[in-house]
Short mmCIF file of all heavy atoms in Angstrom, two decimals:
data_model
loop_
_atom_site.label_atom_id
_atom_site.label_comp_id
_atom_site.label_asym_id
_atom_site.label_seq_id
_atom_site.Cartn_x
_atom_site.Cartn_y
_atom_site.Cartn_z
N GLY X 1035 -28.23 -63.80 26.13
CA GLY X 1035 -28.00 -62.44 26.73
C GLY X 1035 -27.02 -62.62 27.90
O GLY X 1035 -26.18 -61.74 28.13
N ALA X 1036 -27.28 -63.63 28.80
CA ALA X 1036 -26.46 -63.83 29.93
C ALA X 1036 -25.04 -64.09 29.52
O ALA X 1036 -24.08 -63.64 30.20
CB ALA X 1036 -27.05 -64.95 30.75
N LYS X 1037 -24.87 -64.91 28.56
CA LYS X 1037 -23.50 -65.23 28.17
C LYS X 1037 -22.79 -63.95 27.59
O LYS X 1037 -21.53 -63.76 27.86
CB LYS X 1037 -23.59 -66.26 26.93
CG LYS X 1037 -24.03 -67.69 27.44
CD LYS X 1037 -24.01 -68.64 26.29
CE LYS X 1037 -24.39 -70.05 26.75
NZ LYS X 1037 -24.41 -71.01 25.65
N ALA X 1038 -23.44 -63.10 26.90
CA ALA X 1038 -22.81 -61.88 26.40
C ALA X 1038 -22.43 -61.02 27.57
O ALA X 1038 -21.31 -60.41 27.53
CB ALA X 1038 -23.82 -61.25 25.48
N ALA X 1039 -23.20 -60.93 28.65
CA ALA X 1039 -22.90 -60.08 29.73
C ALA X 1039 -21.67 -60.64 30.47
O ALA X 1039 -20.77 -59.81 30.95
CB ALA X 1039 -24.08 -60.08 30.74
N ILE X 1040 -21.65 -61.90 30.64
CA ILE X 1040 -20.50 -62.55 31.31
C ILE X 1040 -19.14 -62.26 30.60
O ILE X 1040 -18.13 -61.90 31.15
CB ILE X 1040 -20.71 -64.06 31.63
CG1 ILE X 1040 -21.84 -64.14 32.63
CG2 ILE X 1040 -19.49 -64.68 32.16
CD1 ILE X 1040 -22.37 -65.60 32.76
N ALA X 1041 -19.23 -62.44 29.30
CA ALA X 1041 -18.05 -62.25 28.46
C ALA X 1041 -17.52 -60.86 28.52
O ALA X 1041 -16.34 -60.57 28.61
CB ALA X 1041 -18.39 -62.57 26.97
N ALA X 1042 -18.44 -59.85 28.62
CA ALA X 1042 -18.11 -58.51 28.64
C ALA X 1042 -17.40 -58.22 30.04
O ALA X 1042 -16.37 -57.48 30.15
CB ALA X 1042 -19.34 -57.57 28.60
N ALA X 1043 -17.91 -58.84 31.15
CA ALA X 1043 -17.33 -58.68 32.48
C ALA X 1043 -15.79 -59.20 32.52
O ALA X 1043 -14.93 -58.65 33.07
CB ALA X 1043 -18.21 -59.26 33.55
N VAL X 1044 -15.65 -60.33 31.93
CA VAL X 1044 -14.29 -60.95 31.92
C VAL X 1044 -13.34 -60.09 31.14
O VAL X 1044 -12.18 -59.93 31.62
CB VAL X 1044 -14.48 -62.39 31.22
CG1 VAL X 1044 -13.00 -62.90 30.94
CG2 VAL X 1044 -15.24 -63.33 32.15
N VAL X 1045 -13.75 -59.56 30.00
CA VAL X 1045 -12.94 -58.61 29.35
C VAL X 1045 -12.48 -57.36 30.13
O VAL X 1045 -11.32 -57.01 30.10
CB VAL X 1045 -13.57 -58.14 28.02
CG1 VAL X 1045 -12.84 -57.04 27.27
CG2 VAL X 1045 -13.73 -59.37 26.98
N ILE X 1046 -13.46 -56.87 30.89
CA ILE X 1046 -13.16 -55.74 31.70
C ILE X 1046 -12.16 -56.10 32.79
O ILE X 1046 -11.30 -55.36 33.08
CB ILE X 1046 -14.43 -55.16 32.28
CG1 ILE X 1046 -15.35 -54.53 31.13
CG2 ILE X 1046 -14.15 -54.12 33.38
CD1 ILE X 1046 -16.76 -54.12 31.67
N VAL X 1047 -12.41 -57.21 33.43
CA VAL X 1047 -11.41 -57.66 34.54
C VAL X 1047 -10.07 -57.93 34.00
O VAL X 1047 -9.04 -57.56 34.56
CB VAL X 1047 -12.01 -58.89 35.14
CG1 VAL X 1047 -10.95 -59.59 36.05
CG2 VAL X 1047 -13.28 -58.60 35.95
N LEU X 1048 -9.97 -58.61 32.80
CA LEU X 1048 -8.68 -58.81 32.24
C LEU X 1048 -7.91 -57.61 31.86
O LEU X 1048 -6.74 -57.40 32.11
CB LEU X 1048 -8.78 -59.72 31.05
CG LEU X 1048 -9.18 -61.11 31.36
CD1 LEU X 1048 -9.36 -62.04 30.04
CD2 LEU X 1048 -8.17 -61.91 32.17
N ALA X 1049 -8.74 -56.65 31.33
CA ALA X 1049 -8.07 -55.29 31.01
C ALA X 1049 -7.65 -54.53 32.21
O ALA X 1049 -6.59 -54.03 32.29
CB ALA X 1049 -9.11 -54.44 30.22
N ALA X 1050 -8.40 -54.54 33.32
CA ALA X 1050 -7.96 -54.05 34.54
C ALA X 1050 -6.68 -54.56 35.11
O ALA X 1050 -5.77 -53.99 35.52
CB ALA X 1050 -9.12 -54.09 35.58
N GLY X 1051 -6.63 -55.96 35.08
CA GLY X 1051 -5.49 -56.72 35.54
C GLY X 1051 -4.13 -56.37 34.76
O GLY X 1051 -3.12 -56.15 35.32
N ALA X 1052 -4.36 -56.19 33.44
CA ALA X 1052 -3.24 -55.87 32.65
C ALA X 1052 -2.78 -54.41 32.97
O ALA X 1052 -1.56 -54.18 33.03
CB ALA X 1052 -3.63 -55.92 31.14
N GLY X 1053 -3.69 -53.54 33.16
CA GLY X 1053 -3.37 -52.14 33.60
C GLY X 1053 -2.59 -52.15 34.85
O GLY X 1053 -1.59 -51.37 35.03
N GLY X 1054 -2.94 -52.95 35.83
CA GLY X 1054 -2.23 -53.05 37.15
C GLY X 1054 -0.80 -53.48 36.93
O GLY X 1054 0.08 -53.02 37.54
N ALA X 1055 -0.61 -54.53 36.11
CA ALA X 1055 0.71 -55.04 35.85
C ALA X 1055 1.59 -54.02 35.20
O ALA X 1055 2.75 -53.88 35.61
CB ALA X 1055 0.63 -56.27 34.91
N TYR X 1056 1.11 -53.20 34.22
CA TYR X 1056 1.87 -52.17 33.75
C TYR X 1056 2.26 -51.14 34.77
O TYR X 1056 3.31 -50.52 34.75
CB TYR X 1056 1.09 -51.52 32.55
CG TYR X 1056 1.04 -52.40 31.25
CD1 TYR X 1056 -0.11 -52.64 30.59
CD2 TYR X 1056 2.30 -52.81 30.76
CE1 TYR X 1056 -0.09 -53.43 29.44
CE2 TYR X 1056 2.21 -53.58 29.54
CZ TYR X 1056 1.06 -53.93 29.03
OH TYR X 1056 1.17 -54.72 27.88
N ALA X 1057 1.30 -50.80 35.64
CA ALA X 1057 1.58 -49.75 36.76
C ALA X 1057 2.55 -50.22 37.62
O ALA X 1057 3.48 -49.51 38.11
CB ALA X 1057 0.22 -49.49 37.41
N ASP X 1058 2.62 -51.45 38.11
CA ASP X 1058 3.61 -52.00 38.97
C ASP X 1058 5.03 -51.90 38.31
O ASP X 1058 6.07 -51.54 38.96
CB ASP X 1058 3.33 -53.48 39.32
CG ASP X 1058 2.22 -53.59 40.29
OD1 ASP X 1058 1.84 -52.56 40.93
OD2 ASP X 1058 1.67 -54.67 40.43
N SER X 1059 5.14 -52.28 37.06
CA SER X 1059 6.36 -52.22 36.36
C SER X 1059 7.03 -50.82 36.32
O SER X 1059 8.17 -50.52 36.47
CB SER X 1059 6.30 -52.78 35.02
OG SER X 1059 7.46 -52.72 34.27
#
């Protein structure tokens, strides 16, 4: 269960980072 929670958080962070990159461009 802990591993699943951590994986979900990583996906959310990566998605947010990608959105920021698109916004800067």
Side-chain angles (χ1 to χ4, degrees):
K1037 289 180 179 180
I1040 292 172
V1044 169
V1045 169
I1046 291 172
V1047 169
L1048 290 175
Y1056 284 128
D1058 288 343
S1059 176

